[in-house]
Amino acid sequence: MARLSKSPRARFSLATPMLILLCVLWLIPTLGLLISSFRSPDDVRNSGWWTIFPHRAWQVVEVIKPDATADRSGTMSFAGASGTFEQLRNGIETDDGRRVTWVGNRRLGTVRVEERRWTMTAHLTLDNYANVLTGKQYEITHEDGAKETLRGDDLSGAFLNSLAVTLPSVLLPLMVAAFAAYGFAWVRFPGRRLIFSIVVALMVVPLQVSLVPVLSDYVQLGLNGTYLAVWLAHAGFGLPLAIYLLYNFIASLPRELLEAATVDGASHLKIFRSIILPLAGPALASYAIFQFLWVWNDYLVSLIFIGSQPNVQVLTMRLAEIVGSRGNDWHLLTAGAFISMILPLAVFFSLQRYFVRGLTAGAVKS
Amino acid sequence: MSGSPKTLIFSVLLAASALATPAYADPSMPQELTDALAGKYKGTTVTAFGAFADADEVKFNQNIKAFEELTGIDIQYASSKQFEATIATRVDAGNTPDLVDFPQPGLMGNFSKTGKLVDLESVLGADYLKAQYQPSWLDMGTKPGPDGKPTLVGIWERVNVKSLVWYPKKPFDEAGYKVPSNWDEMVALEKQIIDDGDTPWCIGIESGAATGWPATDWLEEMMLRTTSVADYDAWTSGELKFASPQVKKAAEQVGAIFLGDGMVYGGTKAIVSTSFGDAPSPMFADPPKCWLHKQGNFITSFFPKDRDLKPGVDYGFFYLPGIDPAYGRPVLVGGDIWSMFNDRPEVRAVMAWFARGEHLKTWLASGGTVSPHSDAELSWYGNDIDRGAAEILANATAVRFDGSDLMPGEVGAGSFWKEMTAWISGSEDLDTALQNIDASWPKN
């Protein structure tokens, strides 16, 4: 053991700074978005998110009104800087570290004298979050001239809808896949390998090609626009991967365990409940995370199968709509996105120890 | 009269407005609408689907409330940001909404060709529709049916007037600039701004995957101003090539502004990298960094939000003047258009209702839209911007729809955008760009 632990530690010393660097690089855009979500749209438009940190920038110390009668076609002098109108428009830096800039047009402009000073533009606001959480306000004027302010939908309804879509869409395929994986791994029946191959091969079918046929079936069955429709769709699209992942794990369980149970007279159901389920915990959890993140972030499936019903819209659909008909409220998107991330983050962090363990589920045979 | 008090009030209102507007005395009103107003279709539901969402959706829902209460018809409107993709899937799968509001007539044409749309002339009556819309609107709602015969399949919900030039009114007046009423004055104003050391235009054509569309609007405006509407129609239908002298001449007019020295804030680099929504904001800097911005009336929702900018005080607009007096005062519009997928009496009634300008009253009062209906009055508008745009529309010598929306998708939502962007950014010359667009036109 002592010999083994030596080499990983040596590599560790190089890997750590690289990892930290990569993490920082990956996180910078997210940090930028997070900061932007606390800024007003006009601030976002006019300056970068990093300007909220202290930095040196030009600040106006004096404004000079040029003599109205003076000739503005030649060289002019202000505050120790002289140049033509064009040069002044671009700004002239003087020897004492000041900058003299002509602001405005040739006839009406003024001259600003600026110095470089430490500054920060920390006008942070919660408006974006308030807007997203409580719903946008719309002013309506009725025919008779009466004004009324209406509040749009807040995110809470969509949040609950997303939960209502996601939980069954995770549990349903998880349950079916666990049974199926056990069956494929430990129950002998003819055509087992063929059926398993077909199920695994289904992973390569892009879900987009099945949207229209599935939707037309749903319409005929009267399922369209219901939660059940999305549950079934998500379960169906998620099953091949789930079965494959769980099969690899369950098949790698020690044969002796199951044989002992069979000798003791346990039925398949009993073996599944008392042996497989407790042992497959990490694999189940890791698949649950996969499926949860996929369903929570899904837009397409929900759009097609429940998109026609405004009252069951999920979070991703609300987010897409929050920016307005023409994208004019783009500034709300950052706040909305961070709110929608809360639950996936919580799920990930609470289940992450299974996730790492489950990633290697079935990867190596013991 | 056995109707409820509300029906009575409504009938009185109808009668009263009939005195004011002759359109109401119209005997051609479809029977279904009359029946609906009498409450015959109480308890029925009409599903509607469209691309307008958010504030527009709220205004629309307020709009139809009175009609719903009166008739007992429940109009369920749903919107989708992915309208184009969703509607095709839903129709293919048989999950068709009763009414669909298309953001542009090109896509509607596809459904008309496959015979999915109801011929409105036969269900609502030609006389009734003629009383509600000017002929040019009905022409723009007519598409070839499955048998190739032109069929009226769409009626216009609302219009976006595109030929508007916005300017920061307060500094504009202080600088002594005057709103131009013809092209010579327009050129003189540009020169005056340049002489003052500023840049006249704020232009941005970036729009994600749709980058370039504002530039196509410019070319359409210039087409209308430098050649006949017959040429414009031939151009949008593919008969007049992009490489033709007429289109090239119009493109050179666009180039005079887009590529002109000192004409656009930030130069060509800024044009292609600035989002169309951000483009007007330098106009509201103090002092303005650019002075003129051409865009449809929707652009006010993109103006800076931190200051309470007031129309008529902080900003104003004028009609982009005609260039050649021979072509009058053409106006370029965009807009959205209702079509009918399922034919039921209550759907007919709602459609007939949508053909009347009065169904838009709340929306017009709340602002953000212009009505194409003949019965809409200027006094219904809640703000001067919409009213002014409606006036410009009313005074137009010719109204034409956004050409890129009429062209096939490969061109109007593809090569036209891309090649204009390539030309403006300088990666292609004008001739190459125009020829490339011609080459992309689908052959059949």
Side-chain angles (χ1 to χ4, degrees):
Chain A
M1 267 331 267
R3 193 171 53 85
L4 267 178
S5 66
K6 191 90 182 170
S7 60
R9 199 170 292 162
R11 259 182 283 133
F12 199 60
S13 59
L14 242 174
T16 314
M18 281 304 289
L19 265 179
I20 291 174
L21 184 74
L22 278 177
C23 283
V24 169
L25 281 180
W26 272 96
L27 280 175
I28 282 176
T30 315
L31 180 72
L33 280 179
L34 183 64
I35 292 171
S36 295
S37 71
F38 290 104
R39 306 182 76 208
S40 77
D42 296 295
D43 275 354
V44 173
R45 233 196 293 243
N46 293 327
S47 61
W49 55 267
W50 50 89
T51 54
I52 72 147
F53 301 114
H55 61 284
R56 277 163 69 87
W58 292 107
Q59 285 204 307
V60 181
V61 288
E62 192 188 349
V63 176
I64 305 168
K65 188 105 186 93
D67 182 4
T69 56
D71 175 32
R72 289 161 188 197
S73 54
T75 306
M76 297 173 279
S77 288
F78 301 97
S82 58
T84 60
F85 169 74
E86 282 76 20
Q87 286 170 325
L88 282 164
R89 269 289 277 249
N90 290 330
I92 297 174
E93 287 191 40
T94 60
D95 297 334
D96 55 350
R98 293 168 143 212
R99 187 171 72 171
V100 181
T101 315
W102 186 290
V103 180
N105 72 17
R106 198 189 295 268
R107 290 179 290 121
L108 302 169
T110 55
V111 173
R112 279 184 195 161
V113 183
E114 295 163 309
E115 264 176 15
R116 257 182 116 73
R117 289 187 182 164
W118 281 98
T119 177
M120 52 196 274
T121 43
H123 312 297
L124 298 183
T125 164
L126 285 171
D127 284 357
N128 297 341
Y129 284 91
N131 242 325
V132 170
L133 285 173
T134 58
K136 280 194 245 179
Q137 288 190 0
Y138 307 106
E139 191 159 283
I140 298 290
T141 313
H142 290 286
E143 284 172 47
D144 52 8
K147 283 189 197 302
E148 185 187 355
T149 307
L150 293 177
R151 245 180 210 292
D153 291 338
D154 56 22
L155 277 184
S156 59
F159 202 90
L160 291 177
N161 285 342
S162 264
L163 265 186
V165 164
T166 309
L167 291 182
S169 298
V170 172
L171 295 178
L172 206 64
L174 196 65
M175 217 165 65
V176 177
F179 280 124
Y182 173 77
F184 283 127
W186 297 106
V187 183
R188 308 272 147 204
F189 57 94
R192 190 168 65 112
R193 286 185 164 276
L194 181 73
I195 299 175
F196 183 66
S197 307
I198 292 173
V199 169
V200 172
L202 282 176
M203 274 200 290
V204 303
V205 178
L207 74 91
Q208 287 85 346
V209 302
S210 55
L211 287 180
V212 171
V214 171
L215 183 60
S216 75
D217 287 348
Y218 278 172
V219 171
Q220 275 168 21
L221 294 171
L223 275 181
N224 188 48
T226 63
Y227 284 132
L228 185 60
V230 221
W231 295 341
L232 290 177
H234 277 303
F237 294 133
L239 267 180
L241 177 71
I243 294 175
Y244 179 68
L245 203 90
L246 296 180
Y247 169 86
N248 281 346
F249 188 86
I250 291 173
S252 69
L253 293 174
R255 168 174 296 271
E256 295 77 13
L257 254 176
L258 284 97
E259 277 169 355
T262 318
V263 169
D264 286 347
S267 65
H268 279 306
L269 206 63
K270 176 85 181 157
I271 295 178
F272 180 78
R273 221 183 48 216
S274 314
I275 300 177
I276 305 289
L277 275 189
L279 285 176
L284 292 177
S286 93
Y287 174 72
I289 296 179
F290 269 132
Q291 180 75 356
F292 181 89
L293 293 180
W294 154 246
V295 176
W296 187 264
N297 291 328
D298 162 74
Y299 176 68
L300 184 66
V301 174
S302 309
L303 178 75
I304 298 296
F305 296 124
I306 52 173
S308 53
Q309 307 289 319
N311 49 339
V312 290
Q313 290 201 337
V314 295
L315 207 51
T316 45
M317 290 158 80
R318 282 286 310 148
L319 277 185
E321 260 159 38
I322 228 167
V323 298
S325 281
R326 292 189 169 82
N328 40 317
D329 285 329
W330 48 269
H331 58 281
L332 298 180
L333 203 53
T334 45
F338 277 98
I339 292 170
S340 80
M341 271 163 58
I342 293 173
L343 193 66
L345 280 178
V347 168
F348 184 83
F349 283 119
S350 59
L351 295 179
Q352 63 156 341
R353 57 205 178 97
Y354 297 110
F355 189 60
V356 178
R357 222 188 293 166
L359 271 182
T360 56
V364 279
K365 300 223 171 191
S366 51
Chain B
M1 286 294 291
S2 60
S4 66
K6 228 174 212 164
T7 323
L8 194 66
I9 292 169
F10 198 81
S11 316
V12 171
L13 276 175
L14 269 180
S17 37
L19 296 173
T21 45
Y24 276 104
D26 173 14
S28 64
M29 187 146 106
Q31 186 61 37
E32 285 86 358
L33 182 54
T34 321
D35 287 350
L37 292 174
K40 198 177 162 196
Y41 305 122
K42 218 178 182 88
T44 54
T45 299
V46 172
T47 56
F49 184 63
F52 61 84
D54 199 50
D56 288 345
E57 188 173 344
V58 172
K59 287 171 188 170
F60 174 78
N61 281 331
Q62 288 294 314
N63 236 346
I64 54 176
K65 230 180 183 172
F67 180 76
E68 287 179 314
E69 279 170 12
L70 187 71
T71 61
I73 300 176
D74 182 15
I75 304 174
Q76 289 186 349
Y77 175 78
S79 66
S80 171
K81 289 288 284 179
Q82 301 295 322
F83 175 82
E84 284 82 358
T86 318
I87 185 65
T89 313
R90 287 186 61 177
V91 171
D92 282 352
N95 177 29
T96 325
D98 297 326
L99 300 174
V100 174
D101 184 63
F102 286 98
Q104 36 116 324
L107 187 61
M108 183 181 74
N110 297 350
F111 291 102
S112 170
K113 218 177 279 169
T114 51
K116 302 276 186 199
L117 301 180
V118 176
D119 178 0
L120 296 177
E121 231 161 39
S122 68
V123 298
L124 299 182
D127 292 340
Y128 176 68
L129 291 172
K130 275 190 193 123
Q132 305 309 321
Y133 291 97
Q134 296 295 324
S136 62
W137 293 110
L138 296 178
D139 289 347
M140 289 192 283
T142 303
K143 293 278 161 191
D147 50 1
K149 232 173 56 198
T151 316
L152 181 67
V153 288
I155 52 167
W156 294 90
E157 166 75 356
R158 56 182 188 137
V159 193
N160 170 27
V161 180
K162 294 190 173 225
S163 309
L164 307 178
V165 179
W166 303 86
Y167 62 96
K169 193 166 187 333
K170 215 166 154 195
F172 193 87
D173 291 343
E174 281 166 8
Y177 299 144
K178 291 274 175 297
V179 167
S181 58
N182 57 47
W183 195 254
D184 290 339
E185 287 178 27
M186 182 84 219
V187 173
L189 173 63
E190 287 169 345
K191 192 176 172 302
Q192 192 184 4
I193 294 174
I194 293 177
D195 286 346
D196 280 342
D198 276 332
T199 35
W201 291 96
C202 321
I203 303 176
I205 64 167
E206 194 277 334
S207 179
T211 295
W213 69 259
T216 66
D217 282 2
W218 272 91
L219 182 56
E220 288 150 13
E221 299 275 11
M222 292 307 174
M223 276 297 285
L224 288 172
R225 283 166 179 72
T226 57
T227 186
S228 64
V229 285
D231 272 350
Y232 183 87
D233 293 340
W235 175 56
T236 54
S237 60
E239 287 152 34
L240 185 73
K241 295 267 170 252
F242 273 79
S244 65
Q246 292 96 315
V247 181
K248 199 177 169 198
K249 190 170 139 205
E252 278 160 357
Q253 280 288 354
V254 177
I257 290 173
F258 275 56
L259 312 176
D261 205 20
M263 284 290 254
V264 182
Y265 179 64
T268 53
K269 257 202 204 97
I271 296 178
V272 291
S273 63
T274 305
S275 144
F276 72 94
D278 290 345
S281 70
M283 212 159 65
F284 298 105
D286 182 28
K289 293 173 174 157
C290 45
W291 296 81
L292 305 167
H293 180 69
K294 189 201 88 64
Q295 190 55 278
N297 45 312
F298 74 86
I299 195 66
T300 50
S301 61
F302 283 94
F303 285 171
K305 297 170 173 77
D306 56 349
R307 280 179 295 149
D308 191 17
L309 295 172
K310 284 193 182 55
V313 181
D314 295 297
Y315 62 89
F317 68 95
F318 57 85
Y319 167 73
L320 179 70
I323 295 176
D324 189 334
Y327 305 122
R329 283 170 60 90
V331 171
L332 186 72
V333 298
D336 41 52
I337 183 166
W338 284 111
S339 61
M340 189 167 155
F341 277 83
N342 303 325
D343 189 11
R344 296 195 309 276
E346 64 270 22
V347 182
R348 287 188 186 189
V350 172
M351 201 62 169
W353 176 246
F354 284 169
R356 309 185 83 90
E358 62 182 316
H359 96 277
L360 271 180
K361 264 186 164 174
T362 305
W363 203 340
L364 295 176
S366 307
T369 196
V370 173
S371 159
H373 307 85
S374 300
D375 62 334
E377 285 169 34
L378 288 178
S379 61
W380 292 357
Y381 289 90
N383 67 55
D384 293 337
I385 298 288
D386 294 334
R387 191 177 297 120
E391 251 174 329
I392 286 173
L393 191 63
N395 295 332
T397 54
V399 176
R400 279 300 175 271
F401 200 81
D402 186 331
S404 60
D405 283 344
L406 299 172
M407 296 173 186
E410 297 91 327
V411 180
S415 60
F416 195 2
W417 294 344
K418 261 189 245 117
E419 298 296 326
M420 287 297 281
T421 309
W423 167 52
I424 291 158
S425 67
S427 61
E428 271 176 23
D429 64 21
L430 179 57
D431 288 324
T432 318
L434 295 177
Q435 278 159 15
N436 285 349
I437 304 176
D438 279 334
S440 71
W441 200 285
K443 291 162 193 71
N444 51 11

